[in-house]
Amino acid sequence: MIFLRFIALVGIMLSNAAVAQTTPPNDAYIAGYATSMLRYKLNLDISSLTVQNGVIILPEDSLNISDQLRVVQMLSEIPGVNQVKIAQITTELPIATAPSQPIQQFADQTVAITNTDPTLLPTGLLPSGHLFKPLLADPRWAHFSASYRHFVNDNFEGRDIGAVSFGETIPFYRGNFGRSLVQWEAGLQAGVFSDFNLGAPSADLINTDFIASAYSSVRAKQFSAFGRIYHQSSHLGDEFLLRQLNSEFERINLSYEGADLRLSYEFPYGVRLYGGGGGLFHKEPSSLKVWMTQYGIEFRSPWRLDFAPVRPIIAADFKNFQENNWNTDVSARVGVEFDNLQVLGRKLQILLEYFNGNSPSGQFLRNNVEYIGVGAHYHF
């Protein structure tokens, strides 16, 4: 019954998302549009321009250095364009070395993209994409997900928990710093995170965390930064409270505002390191301690598997809270991302999960928990 409930929960989530699915941009249309703009606005004839999944790629030797930034900025404004890259492209791969970026198919010819500078995202109001990529193993990064978690130790309410999240990071405006390759964006990030006891007759709601923030991010080539001012509040479910009336459980009126900053750098072969921290400037209860740190590592494979359109993913996230004596909370996830299952530009990921540390569920922040699980996640 527990697994059937979890499967039903995932099914409802994915079916609702599928209803909202939109037609992906037409690469042929974008290629024709871009070629015409270059020819008639800049008097440039680049017949080797290529488009794949909304990403325009221009061979580096087709442009002068003085033209590169102007071309990238102009093409990034085309509707449906996700990125514009100027790449060093070779038609034959070295025998003993692997490319630092994925191998692509262009004009029925196998090529290796060995460099992609510069890269700019579309600018203006409500642009597509994000300058700062989501933190894949962060239990409180706003996105759409549904997970089944089995708690190894004694949990606050049962050992079989269903966890869902609904949220998004929405850039309101993106711009360039002058004529440089540095971009900035500002917007809102909000998410709802809920835990359900799958062992209870009605899959009782245990805890819900609400997080809302105003954020700003910056990107310069492989470096990116994400800062925000946020509010978080946590609430217990009614059924859980009713069962705890005669117990020693103490509810916390948990609500606070804070600010944090994260820095990220992306290395070749899909490796990313990030780190940062933050603090609270208004808190209830007032006894909450202020500071925290966060850091982690991710690997998003630039190569697809041969037998399926999926890419392996490995991520680990670490947090230390002053409130919990700087103990380390470990969140690790491993799985695959599907290239051909996209909803509103977000890709489906199926990830195995492991967590050990103080509970990320707000009302139980002082409880030490350990769980394993599996989840479906939609990330940009």
Side-chain angles (χ1 to χ4, degrees):
M1 289 296 294
I2 291 174
F3 286 101
L4 290 177
R5 289 175 183 168
F6 172 68
I7 291 172
L9 185 64
V10 175
I12 293 172
M13 175 185 168
L14 296 183
S15 62
N16 288 340
V19 171
Q21 186 170 8
T22 59
T23 303
N26 188 302
D27 290 343
Y29 170 80
I30 294 174
Y33 196 151
T35 302
S36 298
M37 288 185 68
L38 293 174
R39 182 173 300 163
Y40 296 110
K41 287 191 175 183
L42 299 180
N43 199 27
L44 294 173
D45 187 5
I46 305 178
S47 58
S48 52
L49 175 150
T50 319
V51 182
Q52 187 174 37
N53 296 325
V55 178
I56 297 177
I57 298 181
L58 301 163
E60 187 179 51
D61 56 7
S62 65
L63 291 171
N64 296 323
I65 297 298
S66 59
D67 292 329
Q68 288 186 3
L69 179 58
R70 183 171 51 159
V71 167
V72 170
Q73 288 179 333
M74 184 179 70
L75 297 185
S76 67
E77 303 293 339
I78 297 175
V81 171
N82 296 322
Q83 282 184 317
V84 180
K85 298 182 178 181
I86 295 177
Q88 296 174 357
I89 298 178
T90 58
T91 56
E92 294 183 2
L93 299 180
I95 296 176
T97 61
S100 59
Q101 296 291 335
I103 297 174
Q104 308 279 356
Q105 292 288 337
F106 298 117
D108 296 326
Q109 186 177 36
T110 300
V111 298
I113 302 174
T114 58
N115 180 46
T116 55
D117 266 343
T119 297
L120 293 179
L121 293 181
T123 58
L125 289 172
L126 298 175
S128 61
H130 296 104
L131 296 182
F132 189 89
K133 295 181 179 179
L135 304 182
L136 300 180
D138 184 352
R140 284 299 179 263
W141 187 267
H143 69 294
F144 289 85
S145 70
S147 301
Y148 163 76
R149 295 168 179 172
H150 175 75
F151 282 73
V152 177
N153 59 353
D154 289 331
N155 181 31
F156 41 81
E157 178 73 356
R159 289 181 178 265
D160 297 297
I161 302 298
V164 298
S165 69
F166 304 90
E168 187 55 278
T169 303
I170 304 174
F172 282 176
Y173 188 86
R174 181 181 300 134
N176 301 317
F177 282 103
R179 298 186 61 81
S180 70
L181 299 179
V182 182
Q183 293 188 293
W184 66 273
E185 71 182 28
L188 295 178
Q189 184 184 68
V192 179
F193 303 85
S194 296
D195 301 314
F196 298 86
N197 181 4
L198 299 181
S202 58
D204 297 346
L205 173 65
I206 302 171
N207 176 84
T208 298
D209 293 334
F210 298 89
I211 302 176
S213 69
Y215 82 90
S216 182
S217 58
V218 176
R219 186 174 189 89
K221 297 184 180 180
Q222 287 78 30
F223 171 81
S224 58
F226 182 94
R228 64 175 182 167
I229 297 175
Y230 67 94
H231 163 85
Q232 176 169 339
S233 60
S234 298
H235 307 270
L236 291 171
D238 292 340
E239 296 93 342
F240 178 83
L241 283 173
L242 289 173
R243 282 198 303 276
Q244 300 298 328
L245 287 177
N246 297 321
S247 73
E248 297 180 356
F249 180 81
E250 181 181 357
R251 176 187 175 275
I252 304 173
N253 188 25
L254 185 65
S255 176
Y256 52 82
E257 285 77 45
D260 53 29
L261 174 68
R262 301 173 182 86
L263 307 178
S264 168
Y265 191 85
E266 297 162 24
F267 294 88
Y269 302 102
V271 177
R272 176 196 190 193
L273 293 177
Y274 63 86
L280 307 179
F281 53 78
H282 178 269
K283 49 194 169 64
E284 188 177 352
S286 59
S287 60
L288 280 177
K289 296 180 181 178
V290 173
W291 304 108
M292 62 84 66
T293 63
Q294 181 179 12
Y295 46 96
I297 183 172
E298 297 176 351
F299 169 71
R300 307 179 190 217
S301 174
W303 303 282
R304 295 198 316 184
L305 299 180
D306 292 336
F307 57 86
V310 298
R311 302 176 187 273
I313 292 174
I314 303 174
D317 181 82
F318 308 91
K319 291 182 181 179
N320 303 90
F321 291 90
Q322 184 184 16
E323 175 68 22
N324 295 322
N325 297 317
W326 299 110
N327 294 329
T328 302
D329 301 338
V330 180
S331 174
R333 294 175 179 174
V334 58
V336 294
E337 177 180 88
F338 292 83
D339 280 356
N340 60 341
L341 293 179
Q342 296 191 36
V343 174
L344 298 176
R346 275 57 176 163
K347 295 183 179 180
L348 173 65
Q349 298 171 350
I350 302 297
L351 302 175
L352 300 176
E353 305 176 5
Y354 173 79
F355 183 89
N356 191 334
N358 288 89
S359 173
S361 299
Q363 286 289 329
F364 306 93
L365 76 167
R366 297 188 180 96
N367 291 54
N368 192 273
V369 299
E370 182 180 12
Y371 65 74
I372 56 176
V374 59
H377 304 260
Y378 269 107
H379 276 297
F380 171 80

